[in-house]
Amino acid sequence: MIYSEEVEHMCKVAKGAKHDPAPIPEEGKWVKAKEVKDISGLTHGIGWCAPQQGACKLTLNIKEGIIQEALIETIGCSGMTHSAAMAGEILVGKTILEALNTDLVCDAINTAMRELFLQIVYGRSQSAFSEGGLPVGAGLEDLGKGHRSQVGTIYSTNIKGPRYLELAEGYITEIGLDKNDEIIGYKYVNLGKMMENIKKGIEPMEAIEKASGQYGRFDEAVKKIDPRKE
């Protein structure tokens, strides 16, 4: 350690109170975090790239400072999806400090990592008050049946109005309109369930039918249209 001459000539004054770090909630405990290994928790965060053409939702499950589980969900940028594939290999097994300073290729994923780091080291994790935290695998369960991200895609123009393309239930195949041409329901295919059916050996058309459903007052529609064609 090198000290300036001014500091070398100063007399020593004793410090008073110790002032430990404030305790933060972690997996049902209050922890005074002093080292990376003191950090545990599961949380989510959102990142965006500089041109703001895409976004990333990142979920990390951290135990004693080490990332044990990572879920990377991206939208809006084809390059980001390939970067997410790399991030899935890069993140697990690293400490959160290593991950914060790792080049995750994509700005949006890097930003999401930064936001998660801030959340979790300040005790703002989703599992802050869950005793023992959440098991490794909780991130996968967050995807639900079929292990597909929940996606909402709506397109609209002033002259032609809205088109529902994909919602939480799945890929929209038809939207139902009333006599005023207002949307009152839709028919959808849950792509995760459809693929599970096909993998079980069910013929594709039957698999689609088994994975289909409808929402709202679709049966009352006076007109049904394909939102991608009509």
Side-chain angles (χ1 to χ4, degrees), residues 29 39 59 64 69-70 77 80 124 151 159 196 204 208:
K29 299 178 293 184
I39 301 295
T59 303
E64 297 179 349
E69 178 183 20
C77 173
M80 192 195 304
R124 304 301 194 270
V151 177
I159 190 171
E196 284 184 351
I208 291 172

Side-chain angles (χ1 to χ4, degrees), residues 4 13 23 27 55 73 112 124 143 166 173 184:
S4 70
V13 177
E27 301 189 337
E73 301 173 87
R124 304 301 194 270
L143 290 175
E166 190 155 356
T173 56
I184 58 171

Side-chain angles (χ1 to χ4, degrees), residues 146 148 189-202 204 207-208 211:
R148 273 182 58 85
V189 177
N190 185 307
L191 296 181
K193 290 180 181 177
M194 181 193 78
M195 291 305 301
E196 284 184 351
N197 290 337
I198 290 173
K199 285 190 285 186
K200 289 175 183 176
I202 298 173
I208 291 172

Side-chain angles (χ1 to χ4, degrees), residues 23 31 65 86 221:
V31 177
M86 295 179 66

